[in-house]
Amino acid sequence: MDKATGDDAEKVIKIAGSITVDELASALGLSVTALIGGLFKNGIVATINQRLDFETAEIMIGELGIENVRLERKNTATKTSDSFRTELSDHAKSRPPVVAMMGHVDHGKTSLLDKLLDKKTAEKEAGGITQHISAYQLEHDKRKITFLDTPGHEAFAAIRQHGAMLTDIVVIVVAADDGVKPQTVEAIKFAQDANAKIIVAINKIDREGADVPRTMADLSTHGLQPEEWGGDIIMVPVSAKTGENLEKLLDSILLIADVEELKADVDIPAEGLVIESHMETGKGSVVNLLVTGGELKVGEFIQAGNTYAKIRTMLNFRGQPKGKAGPSTPVTVTGFKDLPSFGDRFIEYPDEKSARRASVLNAEAEANAMASANVTSTDLLRMMNSADNSKVFNVIVKGDVLGSVTSVVDSLKMIDTKGEVTLNIVATGVGDITENDVYMAAGDDRAVIYGFNVNVPTNIAKMAARDDVPIRNYKVIYELLDNAKESMEDLLDAEIIEEELGVMKVMGVFRTTKNEIIAGGEVTDGKVVPGALARIVHGKQAVSETEVASVQREKIEAKELIAGEVGGLALKTEKKTALEVGDKLEFFERKEVKKKL
Ligand code: GDP
């Protein structure tokens, strides 16, 4: 941290990422106790060495009423998550491209991949939606291409948060009969953020209603200019059904791979990413890896996250044994002591001892990071909110494999609750819903149990029904997230809104008592109905509020008076209220509406 004191007018404090309580207090000329006290008042118990992030420091300065101080971010060009693509040596060899298909649901990602692999997987997937990230490899022109079968975009973004940059090329799949849809736009943004090269597959061209030029025009308004129109994006019209142009799509992928000169070193210790992991009876942990550098062999020692393995068996994506796997190769291995997490990086070590040691060091580093975790503005805002009783949504997440649990949890965390609801993840786990989950959910932190691709045994369902514990089991991540969002919205207090109905110009006031005013006039705008609320506006000022008891047209009770009509009104009042000729009555209704997130 730098301190730069200018003249008396303003003091600039530069913060690189975060600042300790001690440093901030001294920069502000405050006692540490005063700052800690201020944090405490906002629900944060901080120690002198605790680090506060930029936003928290900024909020605290405001909260403490300190003026003439400005915080500035000190630039620390942080290298982002692609730290994976380590510096290559001169003798790096070209490697197969790693490709992901992304796009709007039902636009044909799974069908395209199936057709490409000539292998039916769609039927096995619930609702045809791909659930787990897995990987496949195919050969075209005697060259390999690795495809990642991706889960929803949220989950994919979650993997990225884990520090993984998986793909070289993203194939954006758009149905020619449906055009660009919200998830298409998301996919484009994702690919751009991830620095991946983009190819567009305009799918379903066999369909009636397919309109390739319109789809291209649609895409160009979203920043993707087709090559044919002078832009730089290859767009291939294809059909997953008839197989038309799929060769061309693969040609284009290889063309991009050539232009990008994708390479990796082979003669380095093997490294890569965990892309899926689960337990299987008889086999223990079964882990899918994508090798990104070096060559992985059976019998080698690798560390990933807090665990390590001596690779016992290694299979290719078709389930055939493989002795070694080079860069861009997806493999399934057994031999891990525990389940590593989705997105964990793996590295080869020369022996068991050093692999184990690396896993222990990793665990220690993680524990330390947790212990001295920065106080972030999210924590602060959450605490401030919970001070004025913000709502808490407790959940327990169960999934069939670790990857899906991580995806669900990360995706849940990404729901923007605008600081109004705090998501509290009470517990997570791999496997079916158990008695213990129900006990936990029925406890102090009453929770909703979300299952993803798991079973709910009948006795557990009964137990949950008895204890009034909601179990919500899904096979499609979007549906789970939609439900969570709705449930959080249900927690919010309804919002009261006023809906304007109409205006009347008062032309006569016939009777005024303590409880009632009888008046007449012309509706100049909108309408008036019995039961509406009415503001009496004198000159330009609203002076009081009453309610319309009844409406009359030519002395006969009416359901409404509309603009242009003249009629009479009875207004309900609670005390004697002044209404004069020339005043305006503004009619409105007050409604409770459910707040949205
Ligand atoms: P995803 O959600 O993007 O993975 O989409 P799917 O691959 O599950 O496809 C959704 C639906 O569109 C399925 O009923 C497919 O059979 C159908 N479909 C996919 N591609 C094509 C295509 O090229 N032509 C036609 N006619 N139907 C297709």
Side-chain angles (χ1 to χ4, degrees), residues 62-81:
E63 282 287 300
L64 293 165
I66 299 170
E67 288 172 0
N68 301 333
V69 169
R70 187 159 54 86
L71 292 188
E72 252 181 32
R73 283 179 205 275
K74 193 156 91 174
N75 265 340
T76 49
T78 46
K79 191 148 170 33
T80 43
S81 25

Side-chain angles (χ1 to χ4, degrees), residues 15 24 107 118 138 206 237-238 305 356 358 360 433 435 532-533 539 568:
I15 296 182
L24 182 64
H107 278 197
D118 203 20
L138 56 78
D206 60 286
V238 297
R356 187 190 317 121
V360 171
I433 315 268
E435 211 173 315
L533 298 170

Side-chain angles (χ1 to χ4, degrees), residues 566-597:
V566 174
L569 295 180
L571 297 171
K572 243 195 276 181
T573 56
E574 281 173 3
K575 57 180 193 311
K576 210 161 173 163
T577 305
L579 180 72
E580 293 172 15
V581 171
D583 284 352
K584 259 194 326 188
L585 288 170
E586 288 175 356
F587 307 109
F588 63 100
E589 272 174 352
R590 237 177 232 133
K591 284 189 179 161
E592 274 198 356
V593 288
K594 227 177 111 177
K595 259 208 224 166
K596 292 265 174 210
L597 284 177

Side-chain angles (χ1 to χ4, degrees), residues 271-457:
E271 60 177 27
L273 284 165
V274 173
I275 53 177
E276 159 71 66
S277 69
H278 65 277
M279 283 295 196
E280 257 175 51
T281 26
K283 290 189 191 161
S285 59
V286 176
V287 179
N288 288 2
L289 302 172
L290 178 72
V291 180
T292 58
E295 250 183 356
L296 190 63
K297 297 180 201 73
V298 172
E300 282 177 344
F301 298 95
I302 57 174
Q303 166 258 337
N306 298 344
T307 182
Y308 70 99
K310 174 176 184 181
I311 300 191
R312 208 164 57 212
T313 60
M314 184 157 79
L315 305 175
N316 70 7
F317 77 93
R318 291 191 193 275
Q320 299 150 337
K322 229 174 141 60
K324 61 178 184 186
S328 299
T329 312
V331 285
T332 303
V333 302
T334 59
F336 269 99
K337 306 290 163 205
D338 285 306
L339 281 186
S341 301
F342 198 34
D344 274 347
R345 180 182 182 168
F346 79 80
I347 299 184
E348 182 199 331
Y349 283 86
D351 49 44
E352 178 154 10
K353 200 170 148 213
S354 47
R356 187 190 317 121
R357 194 176 137 74
S359 68
V360 171
L361 286 179
N362 190 77
E364 276 174 10
E366 259 179 27
N368 282 338
M370 295 264 247
S372 64
N374 284 351
V375 175
T376 65
S377 57
T378 321
D379 298 335
L380 184 62
L381 290 173
R382 185 182 300 153
M383 297 309 287
M384 281 174 161
N385 276 321
S386 60
D388 54 60
N389 63 49
S390 109
K391 317 288 191 236
V392 179
F393 183 51
N394 294 311
V395 294
I396 293 174
V397 178
K398 295 298 289 280
D400 54 342
V401 290
L402 198 56
S404 56
V405 176
T406 316
S407 292
V408 170
V409 168
D410 287 345
S411 306
L412 281 170
K413 285 185 184 159
M414 270 190 267
I415 298 177
D416 183 8
T417 64
K418 310 202 172 89
E420 300 208 35
V421 181
T422 306
L423 174 76
N424 180 29
I425 297 179
V426 178
T428 62
V430 175
D432 292 343
I433 315 268
T434 62
E435 211 173 315
N436 192 37
D437 297 328
V438 178
Y439 276 135
M440 249 192 304
D444 286 346
D445 290 342
R446 272 207 86 79
V448 171
I449 303 176
Y450 280 111
F452 187 67
N453 269 337
V454 297
N455 293 311
V456 187

Side-chain angles (χ1 to χ4, degrees), residues 104-111 128 203-204 206-207 239-241:
H104 200 70
V105 65
D106 278 351
H107 278 197
K109 299 177 290 292
T110 316
S111 309
N203 190 31
K204 305 198 188 182
D206 60 286
R207 281 211 175 161
S239 165
K241 192 173 171 193

